[in-house]
Amino acid sequence: MGILAHVDAGKTTLTERLLHLAGVIDEPGSVDSGTTQTDSLALERRRGITIKSAVVAFTLDDLVVNVIDTPGHPDFIAEVERVLGVLDGCVLVLSAVEGVQPQTRILMRALQRLGVPTLLFVNKIDRVGADVDAVLEAVRTRLTPAILPMGTAAGLGARSAAFTAYADHDRAFRERETVALAEHDDALLEAWLDGEDRTPDQLMSLVAEQTRAGDLHPVFAGSAATGAGVPELVAGIARLLPGPHDECVGGEPSGRVFKVDRGAAGEKVAYVRMFAGTLRARQRVELTGGRSGKVSGVEVFRDGRWTRAAEAHAGQVARLLGLAAVRVGDGFGTSARAEDHHFPPPTLEASVEACDPAQRPALRVALAQLADQDPLIAARTDENGRPTVSLYGRVQQEVIASTLADEHGIEVEFSEASVLHVERLRRVGTSIERFNTPTNPYWATIGLRLAPAAPGSGVVFDLDVPLRDLPLFLFTSVEHFTAVMERHVARALSRGPSGWEVTDCRVTLTETAYASWDGPPSQRGPLPTALDFRKLVPVVVRQAVADATTQVCEPVLMVSLEVPTRDAPQLLTLLGRWGTELTGQTSSGDLTRIDARLLAAHLHDLQHQLPDLTGGEGVLESRFDGYQPVRGRGPTRRR
C-alpha cells in the first residue's frame, strides 16, 4: 500500500499513526522533531519532507500490510511513479485546511492512469480553518466525482475533532451509497428504480468491488496527529483495498525492484515487490537486460525492523542482498519480461566539484553509487574529468549535495545548471581505417556507416560483415563481440562535434579485419588485442560523424496547465512571449486547461512563475515530447 500526498499534507505522520495503532511502535514519531520511522535521511529530517520512498509494515489480524511512504515534491515524481507500479492500493492524503493542492491533482491522475485502487483521507481536521465539506466539493470538481464519504467529522478546528463512520443501518447513507454505486452498475440502478433494496453487506461488498476496480474512491477524514479517524481508515484498508493474490503463490519467482539502497558496508540493498512464487537465499536470479546475480540474503519487515528470513513469498515486500548488478526498475521472472516503465529524461545537467580536490576520486565513486539508486541522474565524467549529473530541479540538486555530505563525507559545489541538448545526424556518414596504413597505428581494421534514424530510436548497432572477418579469438562469441562494439560506439557518440550526445542513428559495421602472419609480407604484423578495437572505434566514429555532420536539437515538452480562469490571460501572454505553440484550451467552471508545446529551456521559469501568476492554484504537468532542431546556431556544451 502506498501513502501519497502533496508536500506537508501529513502522509508521514499518518504512517507513524498506523504503526502506533498496530503496536509496531510505542509512540508516533514527529516529522518536526525528526523521529519518524520512514524519513531517515538527514535532509528529510531537516526539511520535514519525504525524499526517498521508505518501507514499513504492520499486521491487521492475519493480513500483513506493507506501507510505502513516498515523496510529495514534484522533483521526485519519478521516485513516486516507480512505487506506483508495485502497489495493490493507495491512500491519498489531503489537508482539511489546504484542500486539493497542485501535486494532489498530479498524483491522482497518475493513480487513475495506472488503475491503482485509492482511498482518500482528509487529514488535519483538528487544524484551525479545517473544512471537510469544502474539501469534498473540491475533490468532486478537481479530482473525481466518483467519491463516497464514509462518515462525518465534528468539532473541526479543535484538538477534540472527531470522525464518526456511518452505521450500516443508516438509511440516508445507504441511499447515497446506492447512488454512487449505480454510476458504474446498471443492474443496481435498475433494481433501485424498481424499489429493490440491497442489504448493507451487499452494498459494502459492491463498494469494495468498485474500489478495487478503481471506479469508486471512499473518503475518510481525521487527524493523523491526534489519531482521530485513523481506526476507521484502517478498517477501510482491510475491508476495501485488494488483498493478497493466492493464485500467485506457486510457480516461478517474479518480482520488481523499486528502490536500491546501500548497506553499512556499501553493499547494494534491493527493495523488491514479489508478485509470484518464492525467492530463497542463495538463489540465482536473471535480471532485466541480461544481468544476473545470486541472492545472498533476504530480509522482511517484521516487528518494527528489517529481519533476516529464509525466503520471500508472493505479495511480500523484501530486501535482497548480494545482487551487485541490480538497478532500480529491474525485474526477474515474468516481471523481467514485462514492458519497462519509461520516465521522461531530465532536461538539466550540472557539473559537480569536490570542495577538497583530494576527494575527487571518492566523489566519482559516490556518484556512481547514487546512479545505481536513481539511474535518471545519469552520473558521468566529461572529457576534462569533471563529474556531471542530470537533474529535474533544484531541490533534487540539494538532495544530491546533502547525500554526498552526510553519507560520504564529501562537500561539493554545483555549477549553474544548463539545458541538456542532443545532436542528430544530417545525412549518412562513412569512415574506414585499415591496419598497416599511415593514419592507423592500431592492428585492426574498422569501417562504419552512420545513418539518421527515426526520432526516439536511440542508437542501433548492426553487423554487415562476413563472420570469418570477426576477431572471435578475442571474444567468446559473435554476441560478445557485438555487445563490446556497441559499448565502444555508445561511448564515442556520447560527445558529438558540439559536445552533446549523438542519438537517433543506425551504426553499421561495414568492414573489419585484423593483422596476422598470413597474407603478403606488406600486411603482416602482430595479432591485435581488444585494446586495438577499443582505441580505434572512437577514431572511426568521429570521422563518420564529421562526414555526416550534425544538428543540435533541444528538448521539447507537452505541458498541461490547469489554472483559475481569471488568471488564464496573463499566463497565455507569458507563453506567447516565449513563442510557445498552443495545442488546446478548454474551460470548465472556474478552471481553464491550457495545453501547449513548450521548449524545455522555459520549463523551470514557468514552474517558478506559475504560483505567483495563479495565486498558488495553478497545476503544471509536463511530458517529454522529443527534440527539435535549435533555431540558428546551436549551443556548444561546456567543456
Side-chain angles (χ1 to χ4, degrees), residues 276-422:
T278 299
L279 183 65
R280 297 175 177 83
R282 295 180 296 280
Q283 186 170 346
R284 179 164 288 277
V285 293
E286 300 296 326
L287 301 169
T288 304
R291 288 166 286 111
S292 65
K294 182 185 286 187
V295 177
S296 63
V298 176
E299 295 180 347
V300 297
F301 197 86
R302 186 181 297 141
D303 299 326
R305 60 191 178 92
W306 289 98
T307 58
R308 285 277 183 158
E311 54 196 21
H313 304 284
Q316 285 188 312
V317 171
R319 298 203 309 190
L320 306 182
L321 311 177
L323 299 178
V326 73
R327 298 174 186 168
V328 169
D330 276 351
F332 54 87
T334 56
S335 296
R337 298 185 285 274
E339 182 179 353
D340 288 339
H341 189 98
H342 296 286
F343 299 101
T347 56
L348 293 175
E349 72 168 357
S351 61
V352 192
E353 285 284 359
C355 296
D356 180 358
Q359 290 188 309
R360 287 173 181 168
L363 173 60
R364 286 193 287 270
V365 172
L367 286 174
Q369 293 181 359
L370 292 182
D372 282 335
Q373 298 172 28
D374 185 356
L376 296 176
I377 71 170
R380 58 198 173 277
T381 303
D382 65 20
E383 61 184 21
N384 295 319
R386 291 179 305 186
T388 65
V389 293
S390 301
L391 300 166
Y392 283 98
R394 302 197 181 282
V395 171
Q396 187 187 28
Q397 177 178 308
E398 182 183 345
V399 169
I400 293 173
S402 177
T403 302
L404 290 170
D406 295 342
E407 298 184 11
H408 301 274
I410 305 172
E411 297 288 342
V412 298
E413 292 180 348
F414 282 85
S415 67
E416 184 66 27
S418 59
V419 175
L420 274 167
H421 292 65
V422 299

Side-chain angles (χ1 to χ4, degrees), residues 374-504:
D374 185 356
L376 296 176
I377 71 170
R380 58 198 173 277
T381 303
D382 65 20
E383 61 184 21
N384 295 319
R386 291 179 305 186
T388 65
V389 293
S390 301
L391 300 166
Y392 283 98
R394 302 197 181 282
V395 171
Q396 187 187 28
Q397 177 178 308
E398 182 183 345
V399 169
I400 293 173
S402 177
T403 302
L404 290 170
D406 295 342
E407 298 184 11
H408 301 274
I410 305 172
E411 297 288 342
V412 298
E413 292 180 348
F414 282 85
S415 67
E416 184 66 27
S418 59
V419 175
L420 274 167
H421 292 65
V422 299
E423 296 181 54
R424 286 197 178 119
L425 302 180
R426 293 179 183 269
R427 56 179 176 267
V428 175
T430 61
S431 178
I432 185 168
E433 285 288 345
R434 294 186 173 92
F435 66 81
N436 206 16
T437 59
T439 59
N440 182 6
Y442 306 107
W443 292 104
T445 293
I446 292 177
L448 294 173
R449 179 176 65 249
L450 275 63
S457 60
V459 177
V460 179
F461 182 76
D462 288 331
L463 297 180
D464 187 20
V465 294
L467 294 183
R468 65 175 180 275
D469 291 346
L470 301 182
L472 296 183
F473 64 93
L474 293 174
F475 304 93
T476 58
S477 63
V478 175
E479 291 75 16
H480 181 209
F481 171 76
T482 302
V484 171
M485 291 293 287
E486 284 179 336
R487 287 200 299 271
H488 295 339
V489 167
R491 191 177 297 114
L493 290 175
S494 64
R495 294 190 72 88
S498 295
W500 307 103
E501 179 185 3
V502 179
T503 189
D504 298 338

